[in-house]
Amino acid sequence: MSKPRTIIEKLWDSHVVCEPEGAPALLYIDLHLVHEVTSPQAFEGLRQRGLKVRRPDKTFGTCDHSTPTTPRSLPIVDPIAKAQVEQFEKNCKEFGIPHFGFQSKRQGIVHVIGPEYGLTQPGMTVVCGDSHTATHGAFGALAFGIGTSQVEHVLATQCLLQRKSRSFAVRVNGTLRPGVTAKDIILALIAKIGVGGGTECVLEYTGSAIRALSMEERMTVCNMSIEGGARAGLIAPDDTTYQFLHGRPFAPQGAAWDAAVARWKQLPTDEGAVYDHEVTIDADALEPMITFGTNPGMGIAISGAVPDPSALSDAVERDTLKKALAYMALEAGKPLAGHPVDVVFIGSCTNSRMSDLRAAASVLKGRKVNPKVRVMVVPGSQQIKREAEAEGLDRVFVEAGAEWREAGCSMCIAMNGDQLQPGQYSVSTSNRNFEGRQGKGGRTFLASPLTAAASAVTGTVTDPRKMLS
Amino acid sequence: MEKFTTFESSVAVLPVDNIDTDQIIPARFLKTISKAGLGDQLFFDWRYEADGSPKADFVLNNAQAKSAQVLLAGDNFGCGSSREHAPWALTQFGFKAVISTSFADIFKGNSLKNSLLPVIVPREMHAKLMEQLKSNPLAKVSVDLASQTLTLPDGSTCQFPVDAFSRTCMLEGVDELGFLLKHDIEIGAFEARAQGALNTLSVAL
Ligand code: SF4
């Protein structure tokens, strides 16, 4: 019998084109997603070298990052963003790449539309010039973010020079309690291993609590793998995966579907396969999580207190925490619950799908948001926007006093007009609380859609379990 | 790409762990479609006050740091976003190497493709260099990629790891795309045997 392999090794082995002596392996890429921000210099590079896109049929584009979330009848007011979106569409047309442009009825966040249209499939290698590409790992794909030079490499050759990553099993066992979500699993993991804990690794999320998650929830978990420093994060495919994919526009159809499922069933990790690292999380013990600091590893249970730098022995670690608390204007030892907030943002590739919007609406239905708080709800794609409107979720949000906007990255990245003012606090369902990430001087608490919605109602950081019906 | 040669330089010290690429170059500067001008935006929000005046206590505003070609930073440098604008901004500002105890993966890969050398040193070495620079902020280090050696101001040395292929590319000033393009036949053969290929062009948009 051959040596038992992890899904990570299987994905790697099946995509190695060749291993030239003295160089990393050439890894073949099945799906390359491109967006407006990290691609222009790559297309320019192709032009300078007189190269074509090798496989436009394995490439797909959408605009999301600098794309405003104001009504599509309005022009893009920022001339620099406008030029970037226009250049993106021009590049896609010139190089023959299918894409959803600014006015497309199917435009959305790149990591939302890939799964939505069945572009993302088990067993694939997926790359994008964006660190949250691991989102697609939820389907049992090896999906990771790349820089612009590598975007150019893949456009030109459909390959990347890669060294094999180490494997890291994240076992989440047990059952999540009411009010505790997929977002809380991943925030708890990052708080545990730290923002560099997964460096050079691909994470495989396994265990009963992961198996019980829907595809959308699995995407939330995989999405933030990079925040633990990992190259990628993935979940082996199962019936939940196949049911989600079946019938989507780019998914295989008919006999090809059956053949694909048979192939995908070979992917899960073999019994007895060995990982380089392992960590276990007890789902039953998890509480809603929230971050207090300036990286996603600075997270605590919502009932907890802000940690004290003086308890740290390492000087640089202590100064780093001090600097974070100074930026956040928070006091060590105090609880975060009850802290006033100015803005609540529900959206981003982490939490902008139907189940996220339904969760937020379940809290906001029949309630009003605190009048001091600006609440923005931003669906991940135009498709999700339509679905949510068909279900009446938009009315729940608007009646509660929230804004219901067009699809895009919005206040996750604050390069599209949606941003915090200096000093403001947000509770945000996005994935990064770095200094200034949501606007210069803005301060971010990362949390789940339930926690965000509960905080919108009270105007302070609030444990959502108090509001569950 | 220019060939990477051995050099000696003073050091700008930024002793913070987990410096993310949003700090190195804030997202609002990513609306550009070129690489030009990013050096002026390096660490923008740490470097400038709201009114645009330089923050006196930030290291890069200090006259002697402006000539430094080496940045000494805390653990896990370059985490977060995959933006290659980060190494573009650092090299345009004048940096040729960053010293830390560890680097985030994507940043490290992006840097090596842009002649910015990530120098990984053990904790003790990092602390020692910090000490020496504290007593003499103008002291110089020497960075030799060919022998993978960092020489501290006091003359002590340490070897640092670098991916062998990236090292060759940097020393010879060649880029990876040229290398990849030479494997057209192997790529074609792989494509011929690939199963269940996706075709993004198959659905009318
Ligand atoms: S939503 Fe945020 S994290 Fe996701 S792709 Fe957009 S900017 Fe990146």
Side-chain angles (χ1 to χ4, degrees):
Chain A
M1 237 187 71
S2 57
K3 183 174 158 283
R5 292 182 299 166
T6 64
I7 180 174
I8 301 163
E9 291 170 289
K10 293 181 192 185
L11 284 161
W12 172 266
D13 293 345
S14 58
H15 288 85
V16 172
V17 170
C18 59
E19 294 176 276
E21 202 172 324
L26 267 74
L27 191 73
Y28 197 79
I29 303 305
D30 295 319
L31 174 64
H32 183 196
L33 299 163
V34 288
H35 64 79
E36 75 274 33
V37 173
T38 55
S39 66
Q41 297 86 352
F43 283 112
E44 190 50 34
L46 292 186
R47 264 183 219 109
Q48 281 167 8
R49 290 180 190 241
L51 293 169
K52 289 194 299 223
V53 173
R54 181 181 178 97
R55 297 298 298 264
D57 59 331
K58 292 181 182 297
T59 313
F60 202 93
T62 186
C63 49
D64 50 6
H65 282 69
S66 58
T67 302
T69 62
T70 42
R72 288 289 181 264
S73 53
L74 302 175
I76 305 179
V77 288
D78 177 346
I80 312 175
K82 182 168 185 279
Q84 190 174 53
V85 169
E86 285 172 359
Q87 185 64 42
F88 171 71
E89 296 187 12
K90 186 171 163 269
N91 288 338
C92 286
K93 281 186 193 132
E94 181 181 332
F95 289 92
I97 295 169
H99 63 284
F100 298 150
F102 180 55
Q103 291 294 355
S104 167
K105 294 266 174 288
R106 295 188 270 189
Q107 168 269 343
I109 303 174
V110 64
H111 308 310
V112 173
I113 61 127
E116 190 167 80
Y117 291 94
L119 287 160
T120 308
Q121 295 169 18
M124 281 184 164
T125 44
V126 181
V127 298
C128 174
D130 190 283
S131 60
H132 294 99
T133 307
T135 313
H136 308 266
F139 291 79
L142 181 62
F144 52 94
I146 56 178
T148 298
S149 295
Q150 290 175 307
V151 170
E152 188 180 343
H153 296 177
V154 181
L155 288 173
T157 68
Q158 205 58 30
C159 288
L160 280 177
L161 287 166
Q162 285 287 297
R163 303 251 183 223
K164 201 170 175 173
S165 301
R166 286 181 288 143
S167 58
F168 191 146
V170 178
R171 302 185 196 286
V172 190
N173 295 319
T175 313
L176 292 175
R177 302 275 165 108
V180 185
T181 68
K183 181 66 165 285
D184 303 305
I185 295 179
I186 190 64
L187 286 174
L189 173 74
I190 301 161
K192 188 172 175 136
I193 68 171
V195 287
T199 303
E200 289 176 12
C201 295
V202 176
L203 312 181
E204 180 187 350
Y205 303 96
T206 72
S208 53
I210 297 293
R211 286 289 140 223
L213 297 177
S214 69
M215 283 318 295
E216 297 193 351
E217 293 169 319
R218 292 179 188 187
M219 286 186 246
T220 299
V221 172
C222 290
N223 174 272
M224 290 188 69
S225 303
I226 179 73
E227 310 314 337
R231 287 291 284 141
L234 54 81
I235 295 172
D238 58 13
D239 288 341
T240 305
T241 321
Y242 311 140
Q243 270 164 25
F244 179 97
L245 266 178
H246 190 73
R248 296 201 180 245
F250 290 101
Q253 318 279 338
W257 170 260
D258 296 334
V261 172
R263 219 168 50 236
W264 296 340
K265 286 191 169 163
Q266 308 298 312
L267 283 168
T269 295
D270 299 330
E271 187 91 31
V274 184
Y275 295 86
D276 297 308
H277 306 272
E278 291 200 19
V279 67
T280 303
I281 288 180
D282 176 8
D284 291 276
L286 291 181
E287 283 189 61
M289 295 287 297
I290 189 151
T291 64
F292 59 86
T294 53
N295 73 49
M298 295 179 175
I300 49 173
I302 197 153
S303 61
V306 175
D308 189 348
S310 63
L312 295 173
S313 56
D314 180 90
V316 178
E317 273 177 35
R318 190 168 54 238
D319 289 348
T320 300
L321 181 56
K322 267 193 201 159
K323 185 173 184 300
L325 297 188
Y327 181 83
M328 295 296 291
L330 291 176
E331 232 178 280
K334 287 260 175 78
L336 213 51
H339 193 286
V341 299
D342 305 290
V343 174
V344 167
F345 171 64
I346 296 167
S348 89
C349 57
T350 318
N351 286 120
S352 64
R353 301 177 186 84
M354 281 306 292
S355 55
D356 303 311
L357 302 182
R358 286 189 192 117
S362 74
V363 172
L364 292 175
K365 194 169 171 88
R367 293 192 169 103
K368 292 273 178 221
V369 306
N370 184 299
K372 288 197 200 109
V373 184
R374 178 185 185 193
V375 182
M376 304 167 71
V377 186
V378 185
S381 71
Q382 298 293 344
Q383 173 62 28
I384 291 171
K385 181 162 187 271
R386 281 190 295 275
E387 262 181 68
E389 287 171 356
E391 249 181 67
L393 299 183
D394 59 323
R395 288 194 301 281
V396 174
F397 296 131
V398 172
E399 277 161 24
E403 296 169 32
W404 175 243
R405 302 178 71 92
E406 298 290 328
C409 295
S410 185
M411 204 188 271
C412 173
I413 193 161
M415 58 183 292
N416 43 53
D418 300 347
Q419 64 192 71
L420 294 176
Q421 298 306 311
Q424 282 190 322
Y425 287 94
S426 78
V427 174
S428 174
T429 68
S430 54
N431 44 45
R432 286 190 171 140
N433 51 352
F434 297 147
E435 287 183 28
R437 170 77 179 189
Q438 294 196 288
K440 187 171 172 165
R443 298 158 173 157
T444 303
F445 301 131
L446 299 175
S448 73
L450 286 176
T451 303
S455 306
V457 172
T458 60
T460 63
V461 171
T462 298
D463 187 334
R465 292 173 295 187
K466 293 180 181 147
M467 289 194 193
L468 295 183
S469 44
Chain B
M1 256 183 19
E2 259 178 58
K3 289 185 184 175
F4 193 96
T5 50
T6 302
F7 70 97
E8 216 185 55
S9 164
S10 58
V11 182
V13 186
L14 200 46
V16 180
D17 285 343
N18 304 313
I19 294 177
D20 59 82
T21 53
D22 271 89
Q23 306 318 313
I24 300 173
I25 177 93
R28 61 183 184 279
F29 300 121
L30 271 49
K31 289 180 272 191
T32 175
I33 54 171
S34 80
K35 299 179 187 176
L38 294 169
D40 299 334
Q41 295 154 347
L42 179 70
F43 285 112
F44 196 92
D45 293 345
W46 287 5
R47 223 164 119 194
Y48 298 104
E49 302 285 359
D51 66 4
S53 62
K55 290 188 186 180
D57 60 351
F58 186 63
V59 60
L60 297 192
N61 292 326
N62 156 338
Q64 72 221 29
K66 279 190 181 147
S67 59
Q69 295 176 317
V70 176
L71 181 68
L72 175 65
D75 197 46
N76 194 31
F77 185 79
C79 62
S81 157
S82 60
R83 60 191 69 165
E84 201 159 320
H85 308 66
W88 294 337
L90 284 160
T91 52
Q92 284 176 26
F93 186 85
F95 289 117
K96 288 184 177 173
V98 183
I99 304 174
S100 175
T101 42
S102 73
F103 291 86
D105 286 335
I106 306 179
F107 176 83
K108 186 165 75 180
N110 285 342
S111 296
L112 291 167
K113 289 176 187 62
N114 288 281
S115 270
L116 179 66
L117 184 65
V119 179
I120 303 166
V121 298
R123 269 182 179 269
E124 315 78 67
M125 218 47 189
H126 193 273
K128 196 166 152 185
L129 179 54
M130 292 262 287
E131 272 311 307
Q132 293 178 21
L133 293 169
K134 209 174 263 176
S135 51
N136 180 7
L138 294 176
K140 291 188 173 176
V141 296
S142 158
V143 180
D144 180 352
L145 175 57
S147 68
Q148 295 174 231
T149 310
L150 173 72
T151 308
L152 268 48
D154 71 352
S156 56
T157 61
C158 102
Q159 302 286 121
F160 55 85
V162 187
D163 179 86
F165 180 75
S166 302
R167 175 171 160 270
T168 310
C169 288
M170 282 177 77
L171 288 171
E172 292 176 8
V174 298
D175 81 351
E176 291 184 8
L177 181 52
F179 182 83
L180 275 166
L181 286 165
K182 283 190 208 142
H183 291 81
D184 190 53
I185 293 172
E186 288 95 332
I187 299 170
F190 182 91
E191 285 174 329
R193 60 175 196 268
Q195 297 173 304
L198 176 78
N199 182 358
T200 59
L201 300 171
S202 65
V203 173
L205 295 176

